[in-house]
Every structure is written in structure tokens, then in C-alpha cells.
Amino acid sequence: MIEFKNVVKDYGNGVLGADHLSVRINQGDFVYVVGPSGAGKSTFIKLMYHDLTATSGEIRVNNYNVAAITNKEIPFLRRELGIVFQDFKLLPRLTIFENIAYALQVIEKQPEEVEKRVNEVLKLVGLSDKAQNFPNEISGGEQQRVAIARAIANRPGILIADEPTGNLDPDTSEEIINILENINQDGTTIVMATHNSNMVNEHKHRVLEISAGKLTRDQEGGVYENE
Ligand code: ADP
Ligand code: ADP
């Protein structure tokens, strides 16, 4: 569960990245966050995982009061959320297997459990045969599938994706949305910021539209016309 109540993010330069945002996203929802460049989509997403601190208002993610979280609690909040970025952010000197394993090792999972889970998530994204390759040896779409596998390895209840198909061609984007929909079928909440109007219109889900930091539309199965 994600809940924003009257959230303001004032960047201090006259820009409100979030302007009294209120919204509730329930467990298992699939939500697109749409709007033009500079609308506040990244701000909204970064507030969820406390990459940014809200100026005022309340943010809850599961049992965490994110706006008032202590530094000690931040790593625990982040375990509830998997995050995927437009530029994948894989570690170039680690293999695909090691990139995913690393995410589990840092939270002190036992080696046997790490190996089992890495193999499971690689299978889920269809990349079992690439486990020993390095990121620069696979395509952009495959790299994004690895990033998704890494993000869900710890079974977070929520998967956040900021423009995950921004660097990918339409066919590859289609593979990515299919994987995200499969993950959603298992009960994981998906929050995806996107400019990709074809995807929003062909794979219908709830649409949150943001404009100048304000929530201007909240529509189940809504369409989106890109500017
Ligand atoms: P989007 O993700 O929809 O493109 P952002 O959330 O990145 O939008 O940005 C929303 C607004 O806040 C924009 O006007 C942007 O220039 C501004 N902004 C974002 N980050 C900062 C920052 N660190 N300092 C000042 N202004 C920022
Ligand atoms: P994204 O939308 O993925 O955050 P951007 O290119 O909008 O990417 O921003 C890159 C970085 O610069 C982000 O950390 C963002 O917060 C910051 N940023 C964006 N707009 C501004 C701005 N007007 N002033 C200062 N920093 C900004």
C-alpha cells in the first residue's frame, strides 16, 4: 500500500515538483504515472522510496511513515520496494548472475538461498542462458530484464519503474510490459512512470496523470495521448 496525503515537494527555486498530491495505491494495483516531461513523475516516484524528502504532507508505504523515516529505517523501507530505472544501472564488472546475487547478499541471505533465488528470477525473465555473461554482452532489453530480476529477487510487495522502456524499441518494450504484467499477476504492486502512450493504450491499467506537480487524472483503464 502506498498513500500520499497532501504531499508537497518544493525544490526551492519556485518549482513545486509535487503540489498537494493525494493518492492511494492498493496492494496488487498496476498503475501508470503519465504526464509531460517536467510534470513531476520522477519526483512522485523518488518520494516513495525516500530518494527525496517531502517538504510537507504524509507518505505511507506499507507500515512506514516515509516522510518522517529515520536513517536507520531507510534500508528496511527499501526492502519493501524493488526499483527499476530507464538506464538499467547494472554493475558492469559483475556477471548477470552476480548482479542479482549481490542484491541478496547485501541483505545477508544464505549462499544456497541466493543461488536458488537467482536461478528462479533468471528463469522468470527468460535469461537462464545468460547467467555467466556480462552486461555489455547482452542487449538493452535483456539488461532491463536483468534489472527487473534483480529488483524482484527479494520478493518486494511493490515494484517501481521509472521509464523502464525509455531506451527500448517497441518489440522489446512489449517483452518488458509482459514481464511486469506477469509479476503483477502474482500480487506485486507495479508503479510505472512512462511516456509510452502505445503501451498505456494497449495494456490498459490505472492511469495517474501528473501536470505541474498536481494529480490531474486518476482513471482505471485510462488512455494517454503523448504530447
Ligand atoms: P518528470 O519526471 O515528470 O520529467 P521531474 O519530477 O523530474 O519531472 O521534475 C518536476 C519538476 O521539478 C521539473 O520542473 C524539474 O525541472 C524540477 N526538478 C526536478 N528535480 C529538481 C531539483 N533537484 N532541483 C530543482 N528542480 C528540480
Ligand atoms: P529524471 O527525470 O530521470 O530524474 P532528469 O534528467 O529530469 O532525470 O534529472 C536528472 C537529475 O537532475 C535528477 O536527480 C533531478 O532531480 C535533477 N534535476 C532535474 N531538473 C532539475 C532542475 N531544474 N534543477 C536542478 N536539478 C534538477
Side-chain angles (χ1 to χ4, degrees):
M1 182 271 286
I2 300 168
E3 189 165 34
F4 278 52
K5 281 190 189 163
N6 264 317
V7 175
V8 174
K9 175 62 192 178
D10 186 343
Y11 282 113
N13 54 349
V15 177
L16 295 181
D19 188 356
H20 296 88
L21 267 181
S22 295
V23 68
R24 184 184 165 98
I25 297 171
N26 289 316
Q27 188 60 41
D29 283 359
F30 192 127
V31 176
Y32 291 119
V33 181
V34 303
S37 190
K41 302 183 296 297
S42 292
T43 301
F44 178 51
I45 278 182
K46 287 174 181 172
L47 286 165
M48 284 176 198
Y49 62 95
H50 204 267
D51 191 36
L52 287 174
T53 307
T55 308
S56 63
E58 271 178 57
I59 302 174
R60 296 201 73 86
V61 170
N62 297 339
N63 290 319
Y64 291 89
N65 178 357
V66 178
I69 201 164
T70 61
N71 285 337
K72 255 193 197 159
E73 285 179 312
I74 290 173
F76 296 96
L77 165 70
R78 301 251 169 102
R79 288 182 198 186
E80 315 252 329
L81 306 163
I83 307 170
V84 173
F85 302 94
Q86 178 170 359
D87 60 355
F88 324 135
K89 298 197 195 295
L90 300 180
L91 297 167
R93 292 177 194 283
L94 298 185
T95 64
I96 300 317
F97 185 97
E98 289 164 347
N99 262 277
I100 302 170
Y102 183 70
L104 294 171
Q105 284 154 357
V106 296
I107 58 170
E108 292 165 11
K109 295 283 181 203
Q110 294 304 309
E112 313 81 65
E113 199 184 337
V114 169
E115 178 160 0
K116 180 162 173 274
R117 184 61 181 158
V118 173
N119 287 324
E120 265 172 24
V121 291
L122 276 173
K123 195 167 171 203
L124 205 128
V125 300
L127 287 177
S128 301
D129 57 332
K130 302 284 167 128
Q132 299 312 321
N133 285 88
F134 287 89
N136 68 1
E137 297 172 334
I138 62 175
S139 70
E142 288 170 336
Q143 289 182 56
Q144 191 58 293
R145 280 148 65 190
V146 175
I148 292 170
R150 178 178 60 181
I152 62 166
N154 186 38
R155 300 187 171 83
I158 301 167
L159 180 61
I160 292 176
D162 196 351
E163 298 276 1
T165 63
N167 288 338
L168 304 176
D169 63 55
D171 286 348
T172 311
S173 299
E174 184 69 23
E175 287 171 20
I176 297 296
I177 187 82
N178 287 329
I179 289 171
L180 294 177
E181 286 181 332
N182 285 341
I183 293 168
N184 178 243
Q185 299 275 303
D186 292 336
T188 304
T189 306
I190 310 282
V191 180
M192 172 174 166
T194 188
H195 268 110
N196 192 327
S197 53
N198 286 337
M199 181 173 293
V200 174
N201 298 337
E202 283 166 27
H203 295 259
K204 295 256 176 67
H205 295 289
R206 181 178 173 191
V207 171
L208 300 181
E209 184 161 356
I210 296 185
S211 177
K214 290 190 169 72
L215 182 66
T216 53
R217 181 161 61 115
D218 180 354
Q219 186 180 23
E220 195 56 54
V223 296
Y224 177 55
E225 299 310 326
N226 211 335
E227 72 270 29

